[in-house]
């Protein structure tokens, strides 16, 4: 049931992204659009122009390639091979896997460790959506937390190998792989000559250029408590990426308490201040990381942190329904 609800919400976001644009289309402006379920979400790619179909097909090839590399639940994927070798040996990986891990670690350092690519043991312990109403004990969390430490990853830049020195450590690229794949898909669309396009991968949205009518893309931000509601709208003028992390995407309820799939890697528990964080920026792979980290940091600390990242903006929705925007979005959020 939760998967069907999540898919419906994703479908609504995809529809909103296009319908809200209000394009007046000529025959030359008609889009080529495809939707596929990949990377545990619905991905929709819409492109305009004579090379639209070619670009969309090549974009999906990138999603499929990245999924094959980064799916930790596939025992034959590269990321699984790294996890299986934890505590025993180095593993040579594809350049994209290496780049995702390296970028994750670099940003984690700047974001006070609130994002950690080694969160795999926590994800497995909680098993949100897979273990019913199971809530791990403090002792169970304490036993797992020593394995959640991106600083322990041994990265060999010369030989492109990764090594997890402790048995039981597990990489989980869920916080970057989808956004990274969106960036790769956008590159394929651009290489095909596409000048106007929108990619929506389950709430990670990135666009190329403007709408066919020349106006900026206008994207809605889902209300985290109303699957069919929109809590804000933003024109992507000066930015090309919108990415949302929220407690409504994957969660369980027990004793009227919501336990979401986003954890503070420093404590192993869910943050209790935010319902959703939407990033407005120009990099989808980093958007995934930022939205997760800022969800953990909370509004006050996040607003201070964002001063160090010019051009990166955020929309916060607190648990009590307040919508707070970073200063760079003043007057730009409807």
């Amino acid at each position: 049931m939760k998967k069907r609800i999540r898919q419906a919400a994703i479908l609504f976001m995809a529809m909103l992204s296009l319908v809200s644009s209000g394009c007046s289309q000529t025959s030359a402006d008609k889009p080529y659009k495809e939707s596929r379920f990949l990377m545990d979400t619905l991905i929709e790619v819409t492109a305009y122009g004579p090379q639209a179909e070619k670009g969309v097909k090549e974009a999906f090839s990138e999603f499929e390639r990245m999924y094959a590399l980064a799916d930790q639940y596939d025992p034959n994927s590269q990321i699984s091979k790294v996890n299986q070798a934890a505590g025993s040996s180095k593993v040579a990986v594809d350049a994209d896997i290496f780049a995702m891990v390296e970028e994750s670690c670099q940003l984690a350092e700047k974001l006070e460790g609130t994002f950690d690519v080694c969160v795999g043991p926590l994800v497995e312990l909680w098993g949100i959506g897979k273990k019913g109403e199971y809530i791990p004990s403090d002792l169970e969390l304490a036993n797992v937390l020593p394995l959640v430490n991106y600083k322990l990853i041994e990265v060999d830049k010369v030989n492109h190998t990764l090594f997890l020195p402790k048995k039981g450590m597990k990489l989980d690229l869920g916080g970057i792989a989808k956004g990274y794949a969106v960036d790769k898909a956008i590159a394929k669309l651009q290489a095909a000559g596409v000048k106007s396009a929108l990619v929506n991968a389950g709430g990670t949205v990135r666009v190329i250029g403007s709408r066919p009518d020349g106006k900026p893309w206008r994207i809605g931000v889902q209300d985290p408590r109303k699957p069919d509601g929109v809590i804000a709208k933003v024109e992507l003028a000066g930015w090309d990426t919108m990415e949302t992390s929220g407690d409504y995407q994957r969660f369980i309820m027990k004793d009227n308490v919501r336990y979401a799939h986003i954890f503070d890697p420093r404590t192993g528990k869910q943050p209790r201040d935010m319902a959703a964080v939407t990033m407005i920026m120009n990099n989808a792979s980093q958007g995934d990381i930022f939205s997760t980290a800022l969800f953990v940091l909370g509004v006050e600390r996040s607003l201070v942190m964002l001063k160090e990242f010019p051009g990166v903006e955020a929309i916060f929705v607190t648990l009590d329904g307040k919508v707070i925007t970073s200063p760079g979005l003043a007057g730009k959020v409807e």
Side-chain angles (χ1 to χ4, degrees), residues 5-6 8-13 15-16 220-232 244 246-249 251 258 275-276 317-323:
I5 292 172
R6 190 167 77 250
I10 293 167
L11 279 166
F12 169 74
M13 278 291 291
M15 177 184 68
L16 175 67
V221 179
Q222 185 177 331
D223 186 325
R225 294 297 178 262
K226 297 177 182 178
D228 295 331
V230 177
I231 204 164
T244 299
D247 68 359
Y248 59 94
Q249 295 168 324
F251 65 93
R258 181 183 299 255
V317 183
T318 62
L319 284 181
D320 57 4
K322 293 179 181 177
V323 178

Side-chain angles (χ1 to χ4, degrees), residues 73-105:
Y73 300 109
D74 177 357
N76 296 313
S77 72
Q78 286 195 10
I79 207 67
S80 289
K81 297 296 185 184
V82 175
N83 292 341
Q84 291 161 13
S88 62
S89 60
K90 301 177 180 180
V91 176
V93 296
D94 184 273
D96 288 310
I97 292 291
F98 193 88
M100 281 189 278
V101 171
E102 194 169 39
E103 184 170 33
S104 295
C105 293

